[in-house]
Amino acid sequence: MNQVRKVYMDYAATTPVDHAVLEAMLPFFEKTFGNPSSTHAYAREVRPAIDEARAHVAALCNANANEIYFTAGGTESDNWALKGVALAYPEKRHIITSQIEHHAILHTCEDLEKLGREVTYLPVTPEGIVTPESVEAAIRPDTALVSVMFANNEVGTVQPVQAIGEVCHAHGIPFHTDAVQAFGVLPIDVKTMPIDYMSMSAHKLYGPKGIGALYVRKFAGLLPLLAGGGQERGKRSGTENVPGIVGFGKAAQIAKRKMQEETARLTSLRDDMIQAIERDIPQVKLNGSRVNRLPNNVNMTFRYAPNESVLLMLDMNGVAASGGSACSAGATEPSHVLLAMGASTEDAQASIRFTLGRDTTQEDISYVVEKLQTIVARQRALQPLFAQTAEAPKFV
Ligand code: PLP
């Protein structure tokens, strides 16, 4: 039987757990299983491991360990930052965010609107950038929080976080950033950057799923969402996910060590892939910024080739990629991010995100581009609209 090559290009959706991370976690399922809140030796065995993990997560963004609160992932961290600030400052009824945020932010904002808050959803440039000027123009006396993501999960644009945070602080407004796609990939220093709250998630950096963290700058106001046993210094109740926390710590430690080299390697692979697609396939467009872009993100529109069909064919050829955001993949809705960037519905539905990672090789890139050439041509040939379009390129 013909073995189909398997190429995973959906690292923005999730990453495999690093073997060293798995090894670090394993003892905490069976041998060292104590509840950290207990008063006996079993708890004393576990607590140092949590402290160590917290220190590693903090070190990856130059935070103090006591500014890191473990959560169940990026979604919880996003919910907590927005709802926790809204609860802490009930008289401030306005929130500013952008149209290209992850649904963990957008749907939380919708919840807050139902509770009587007002939300400004900032537009973006055609490259998918939120400008600091637009943030400043939206600020009101009753603005409680500005939340703009560090890097976009679909098109990979890296936002001008420094400048946006500076605008916020100049007006005395706290700034939250969803750094789920950037943490462990880009250098982040919360001591020098004007960030008050920051969301992180372990499964995007070769850690386990279901564990994340929220960075909360010292003295930044935030009420807990979960009431209970008072874990995480009274801010996030619930028995700690000890293996998850240990895994996150290990993943952060590894990411810190590998970041520079891996960024250089991925940036080069990413640019090779973009170049090869632009060279070998007509009627394509790179979505997002060429410059301010995550090192592992390739998001392209293959005009007149519906992404659902292309993704299906890629899958049949062993290639895993994505049509929309990590967490809404499978949905046929056009991407809200591409629409906000000015794409037509047709183009949004002809766009595919490839995200590269630690196991991606040059051979993977060549294989995917070669498959894409055939698949896209075949799909286009099936499209009546394409056949009738004067600008349609010739296929041989
Ligand atoms: N924010 C961004 C930008 C993401 O990409 C994701 C996941 O894809 C999330 C939040 C949600 O994180 P989690 O899967 O840990 O809940």
Side-chain angles (χ1 to χ4, degrees):
M1 205 178 75
N2 244 354
Q3 276 266 304
V4 175
R5 190 189 172 104
K6 281 186 85 179
V7 180
Y8 184 75
M9 283 205 181
D10 205 10
Y11 284 85
T14 197
T15 58
V17 171
D18 187 298
H19 191 69
V21 169
L22 179 65
E23 289 212 316
M25 291 172 70
L26 283 175
F28 293 90
F29 284 103
E30 199 178 21
K31 255 181 87 207
T32 318
F33 64 88
N35 184 327
S37 301
S38 300
T39 50
H40 44 64
Y42 286 77
R44 286 196 295 279
E45 271 180 358
V46 175
R47 278 188 223 123
I50 296 183
D51 293 344
E52 193 188 327
R54 200 185 304 281
H56 284 311
V57 172
L60 192 50
C61 56
N62 200 23
N64 298 324
N66 62 6
E67 294 170 315
I68 300 294
Y69 297 88
F70 288 114
T71 65
T75 301
E76 182 188 330
S77 299
D78 283 348
N79 269 262
W80 186 14
L82 268 58
K83 291 175 178 165
V85 167
L87 286 173
Y89 304 102
E91 69 294 352
K92 302 240 171 185
R93 309 202 64 76
H94 179 230
I95 290 165
I96 299 172
T97 189
S98 83
Q99 293 174 3
I100 61 160
E101 299 297 310
H102 189 271
H103 285 120
I105 293 289
L106 294 176
H107 290 162
T108 300
C109 285
E110 286 163 21
D111 285 354
L112 288 168
E113 284 178 303
K114 285 181 202 137
L115 294 170
R117 301 302 204 279
E118 283 177 51
V119 182
T120 301
Y121 299 91
L122 296 173
V124 294
T125 67
E127 282 196 342
I129 304 280
V130 180
T131 66
E133 294 74 26
S134 70
V135 174
E136 184 147 46
I139 287 174
R140 306 190 329 202
D142 63 343
T143 302
L145 182 73
V146 172
S147 178
V148 174
M149 68 204 317
F150 207 109
N152 183 268
N153 47 303
E154 292 190 33
V155 294
T157 38
V158 180
Q159 300 300 329
V161 167
Q162 179 75 29
I164 292 174
E166 280 168 10
V167 163
C168 297
H169 285 190
H171 291 267
I173 294 164
F175 175 51
H176 166 253
T177 187
D178 173 343
V180 166
Q181 293 290 338
F183 189 65
V185 176
L186 300 174
I188 302 178
D189 183 340
V190 292
K191 292 238 167 31
T192 58
M193 299 185 89
I195 297 170
D196 301 291
Y197 312 91
M198 184 170 79
S199 303
M200 304 157 246
S201 179
H203 76 102
K204 310 291 183 179
L205 56 141
Y206 306 88
K209 295 168 184 59
I211 182 77
L214 184 67
Y215 158 79
V216 183
R217 185 184 290 282
K218 202 174 173 192
F219 303 127
L222 187 78
L223 286 189
L225 294 189
L226 303 184
Q231 287 87 349
E232 294 296 282
R233 281 108 58 225
K235 286 249 197 276
R236 200 278 186 180
S237 288
T239 300
E240 293 86 342
N241 171 1
V242 180
I245 289 172
V246 169
F248 190 10
K250 190 72 189 172
Q253 186 189 19
I254 296 170
K256 193 165 196 289
R257 199 176 66 229
K258 289 197 171 176
M259 189 190 294
Q260 212 178 355
E261 196 185 319
E262 192 57 6
T263 295
R265 195 185 73 87
L266 287 174
T267 304
S268 156
L269 282 177
R270 174 199 72 186
D271 293 344
D272 284 354
M273 183 161 177
I274 294 171
Q275 262 178 25
I277 292 175
E278 289 179 334
R279 185 193 58 220
D280 294 346
I281 308 177
Q283 297 271 21
V284 296
K285 178 180 175 288
L286 176 71
N287 296 309
S289 166
R290 247 172 233 275
V291 188
N292 300 311
R293 184 176 201 97
L294 283 171
N296 71 337
N297 178 291
V298 177
N299 186 313
M300 312 281 301
T301 301
F302 301 90
R303 192 161 276 169
Y304 313 120
N307 58 12
E308 262 189 306
S309 316
V310 175
L311 285 167
L312 195 76
M313 302 282 285
L314 283 172
D315 192 19
M316 284 164 64
N317 283 280
V319 180
S322 159
S325 76
C327 306
S328 65
T332 50
E333 290 292 298
S335 147
H336 69 284
V337 175
L338 292 173
L339 294 182
M341 288 161 63
S344 65
T345 306
E346 290 72 27
D347 278 356
Q349 284 175 326
S351 300
I352 296 184
R353 177 190 73 180
F354 303 92
T355 42
L356 323 179
R358 279 188 200 155
D359 289 330
T360 311
T361 62
Q362 194 73 54
E363 291 71 48
D364 291 337
I365 305 276
S366 309
Y367 176 77
V368 173
V369 176
E370 192 193 309
K371 289 291 165 203
L372 268 172
Q373 258 183 297
T374 328
I375 293 170
V376 168
R378 198 172 301 159
Q379 287 307 317
R380 284 173 170 170
L382 293 171
Q383 298 304 309
L385 170 68
F386 182 70
Q388 291 159 24
T389 307
E391 55 182 340
K394 285 196 178 66
F395 290 101
V396 276

